[in-house]
Amino acid sequence: MTSSSLFSFSSRYPIITCRVSPPTSPSVVTSLPLPSSSSSYSLACSLQCPHFQSCSGCTQEFNLHRPAVVDEASGFFKRYGVEDFTFDSCRLWGWRCRAKLAVRGTSDNALIGLYQEGTHTVVDIPECKSHHPNINAAIELLREGIKVFDVVPFDEDQGTGDLRYVQMAVTTHSTNLRAPERYKNGKVQVSLVWNSRNERSHNADKLQALSSYLWRKGGPNSKFHLIHSVWANFQTSTNNIIFGNRWRHLLGERDFWEHVGGIDISLDPSSFGQANTRAFDSLLWKLHKYVPGGSSVADLYAGAGVIGLSLATSRKCSSVKCIEVNKEARLSFEKTIQRLPNSLNCSISWHHADASVNPLSWIIGSDVVVVDPPRRGLDASLRQMLESVPSIEKRMRSSSQSSNSNTKEEKRPWILRAKELSIQAGNKLTPEENNTLPQRLIYISCGWESFKEDCKSLLSSRAWELEKAHGFNFFPGTDSIEVLAVFKRRVAIKKKKKSGIKKVGIKKVRAKSQDSY
């Protein structure tokens, strides 16, 4: 793959790094020359997708490198003291490495794509410019298999059919290729959401035939090795939830690996993974700069622990504690820690728990707390606790001075449950509990509106002040932004005594103060 063109805007707009690489086929990637005017930027960074307007995936056709929300974000952060907000536009086409698509229509004319805005009408998107090119190639192979084996797409009204949805996930981690070639040669993990309770249902023969076809035509022995693995998920629910609880590995490699933030990470098809792998990698490397070496870190809304484990390795943290409510992420965490360096001198733990329930218990003893909440933003209980950190610290200090040295036995049920389901790893023993509270808060946000409210609330509490902010273009073609915001604890300024004037007879003598030097 050729290197992409880089350019930045630094005058009236925040610093924007734009990597321009036009839409291409899986085998050809070229660089676009540097545009010479603002109108050229708009045309060079246009979507050029035949499905725009009919498909609900993209809402912005031009200026993919700078969605409109960037200007709003720059102004917002400037009002709160951050003058050097930056925005990384990342890859503009072929960036999506993970896609969940509905399958409707007929076996002879399968529609594989997204719902039209405000409807349950599926728009077929075979030439999607956001998809990694190999996702589009895998979709076409799937379409062929549906036709060959008369696989019936799902009918929502009747609840009938064989194939409801498909998830395509691309791994670009292939150590037998040179780094520049890995992205374009990504392999696709195909997860078929089958309309049955399990693999013994009446249409199981079609599932087997379809999966074998995908592997035969796209596996390692085919002309073009496209397919990483094939999985089945079984779902019969009448609601809009895509996946059921039952998964089965059918063909190919069982483990799915990616390399981001300096570590290899394992992702099961059931666990959350970032759609824009390269943009996420950029964010992680930026985040590393704001965590002092040797820190104790609490990673809330941690998922499979990618952020926390990346910090453990790159910043040589003394301890990393990952808190996640989705128990499905545990398996991915367990596999990932097996590939961490043996020399890592860090206490690492993962806890299946809700960070909004008694959140203080999870951040106590940490120097840095990282939060990566869903689009709705921070849970109210967590935000309120963060806003109360100074007063909590005072109470803890006074109580520790007045209490004896006896350690109380832990009896809180949610803590005990989390400990039972936790995973301990690393070469360092679990550090002794201490009563320190974090001095730094790092907030990663995928929901701009909710972030603004959380940010204003945190700052108005006077417990935190905003230090740095960066934006990332995780979803080119939409008016959205991923934010990395760094807060530090606000230092309470003690009031100085006013310098007075003492009268001695008829002479005026200035009272001593710091201002009298």
Side-chain angles (χ1 to χ4, degrees):
M1 183 182 296
T2 58
S3 60
S4 52
S5 304
L6 303 176
F7 56 89
S8 63
F9 300 83
S10 57
S11 53
R12 51 179 295 206
Y13 299 115
I15 298 172
I16 299 174
T17 304
C18 183
R19 294 172 175 81
V20 180
S21 51
T24 61
S25 66
S27 58
V28 181
V29 177
T30 58
S31 295
L32 195 67
L34 185 70
S36 58
S37 67
S38 59
S39 61
S40 297
Y41 285 131
S42 177
L43 293 173
C45 297
S46 62
L47 188 60
Q48 305 170 41
C49 182
H51 311 303
F52 184 72
Q53 291 185 327
S54 60
C55 168
S56 60
C58 293
T59 58
Q60 186 167 318
E61 189 173 12
F62 300 103
N63 294 317
L64 301 191
H65 65 292
R66 182 171 57 83
V69 70
V70 173
D71 291 338
E72 181 193 341
S74 178
F76 175 86
F77 288 118
K78 191 171 290 186
R79 287 196 297 275
Y80 290 101
V82 176
E83 299 284 343
D84 56 351
F85 171 72
T86 65
F87 181 72
D88 188 343
S89 75
C90 309
R91 189 181 180 91
L92 300 181
W93 301 275
W95 54 266
R96 180 176 281 280
C97 290
R98 186 172 291 261
K100 298 183 183 76
L101 305 170
V103 183
R104 302 293 184 266
T106 66
S107 56
D108 286 332
N109 184 28
L111 306 176
I112 305 174
L114 301 177
Y115 293 124
Q116 195 171 21
E117 187 69 34
T119 74
H120 269 222
T121 301
V122 171
V123 177
D124 201 28
I125 51 173
E127 299 177 57
C128 175
K129 301 305 180 187
S130 296
H131 285 166
H132 187 291
N134 287 354
I135 287 182
N136 288 344
I139 289 170
E140 287 312 297
L141 183 59
L142 174 62
R143 196 190 311 275
E144 291 174 12
I146 289 172
K147 187 174 184 177
V148 168
F149 298 103
D150 194 28
V151 174
V152 181
F154 185 61
D155 185 315
E156 285 188 59
D157 295 330
Q158 302 297 323
T160 58
D162 303 314
L163 184 58
R164 299 168 68 117
Y165 299 94
V166 61
Q167 176 178 264
M168 303 281 188
V170 176
T171 171
T172 63
H173 181 44
S174 179
T175 54
N176 61 343
L177 292 174
R178 295 190 311 112
E181 298 175 352
R182 291 175 187 173
Y183 192 84
K184 69 176 181 180
N185 287 290
K187 303 297 183 288
V188 184
Q189 178 194 70
V190 180
S191 298
L192 305 169
V193 182
W194 208 247
N195 188 34
S196 65
R197 294 184 180 277
N198 53 52
E199 60 272 30
R200 295 182 297 276
S201 299
H202 69 280
N203 54 358
D205 56 335
K206 287 186 181 181
L207 173 60
Q208 186 62 48
L210 179 60
S211 57
S212 297
Y213 181 84
L214 294 173
W215 189 245
R216 187 171 67 255
K217 294 287 189 177
N221 296 324
S222 63
K223 291 182 180 179
F224 176 52
H225 186 188
L226 176 68
I227 304 299
H228 169 276
S229 56
V230 184
W231 288 71
N233 175 265
F234 299 96
Q235 172 68 293
T236 57
S237 173
T238 56
N239 57 32
N240 291 328
I241 298 174
I242 293 177
F243 296 126
N245 295 323
R246 185 176 178 83
W247 289 85
R248 184 185 170 191
H249 173 245
L250 300 177
L251 292 163
E253 296 181 49
R254 186 177 188 90
D255 293 333
F256 179 96
W257 292 93
E258 191 53 86
H259 189 83
V260 292
I263 62 170
D264 291 347
I265 63 169
S266 171
L267 289 172
D268 271 12
S270 60
S271 55
F272 172 78
Q274 290 287 352
N276 195 331
T277 306
R278 283 191 164 184
F280 184 48
D281 184 58
S282 297
L283 183 149
L284 287 176
W285 286 110
K286 182 75 74 174
L287 183 153
H288 292 173
K289 295 169 52 179
Y290 298 109
V291 177
S295 296
S296 291
V297 175
D299 179 11
L300 309 186
Y301 308 96
V306 176
I307 295 172
L309 296 178
S310 174
L311 289 172
T313 304
S314 65
R315 305 307 297 150
K316 295 179 170 54
C317 296
S318 60
S319 70
V320 169
K321 186 165 31 179
C322 301
I323 315 302
E324 170 56 36
V325 72
N326 178 15
K327 65 181 180 180
E328 300 295 335
R330 173 175 174 156
L331 181 59
S332 293
F333 178 88
E334 289 178 317
K335 291 179 180 178
T336 299
I337 58 177
Q338 293 173 10
R339 287 203 181 182
L340 296 181
N342 293 327
S343 59
L344 191 61
N345 187 27
C346 177
S347 170
I348 300 171
S349 60
W350 183 93
H351 305 266
H352 174 222
D354 187 344
S356 68
V357 178
N358 192 23
L360 178 62
S361 62
W362 300 118
I363 72 164
I364 198 166
S366 301
D367 306 309
V368 179
V369 59
V370 180
V371 294
D372 184 11
R375 195 170 297 277
R376 67 174 181 271
L378 296 176
D379 287 291
S381 57
L382 173 58
R383 188 186 66 246
Q384 290 162 8
M385 184 275 297
L386 290 170
E387 293 168 357
S388 305
V389 161
S391 58
I392 293 171
E393 206 165 42
K394 282 184 181 178
R395 290 199 303 270
M396 291 171 64
R397 197 179 297 121
S398 61
S399 64
S400 63
Q401 291 172 354
S402 60
S403 63
N404 56 38
S405 59
N406 294 330
T407 304
K408 292 183 179 180
E409 181 184 359
E410 181 60 73
K411 294 182 178 180
R412 291 169 293 183
W414 56 89
I415 299 294
L416 295 176
R417 282 195 299 272
K419 285 185 175 181
E420 288 174 3
L421 296 170
S422 67
I423 302 168
Q424 300 291 331
N427 295 332
K428 194 172 184 179
L429 295 175
T430 304
E432 293 183 7
E433 290 289 335
N434 62 67
N435 289 341
T436 60
L437 290 176
Q439 297 297 310
R440 180 161 289 186
L441 166 65
I442 300 177
Y443 191 141
I444 300 167
S445 170
C446 62
W448 173 240
E449 294 301 323
S450 60
F451 170 79
K452 286 190 296 182
E453 295 307 310
D454 285 341
C455 181
K456 287 186 283 190
S457 185
L458 289 166
L459 296 178
S460 65
S461 72
R462 304 187 69 80
W464 303 90
E465 58 184 81
L466 194 57
E467 186 178 12
K468 289 286 183 180
H470 305 281
F472 298 85
N473 201 8
F474 270 37
F475 300 98
T478 70
D479 193 25
S480 64
I481 184 174
E482 191 87 6
V483 168
L484 169 65
V486 183
F487 299 81
K488 64 180 180 180
R489 286 278 296 280
R490 191 181 183 93
V491 179
I493 301 175
K494 294 181 180 180
K495 292 182 179 180
K496 296 178 182 179
K497 292 181 180 179
K498 293 181 179 180
S499 56
I501 301 294
K502 292 184 179 179
K503 290 185 178 180
V504 181
I506 59 173
K507 293 182 179 180
K508 294 180 180 179
V509 181
R510 184 175 297 277
K512 288 185 178 180
S513 74
Q514 291 181 346
D515 299 328
S516 63
Y517 291 111

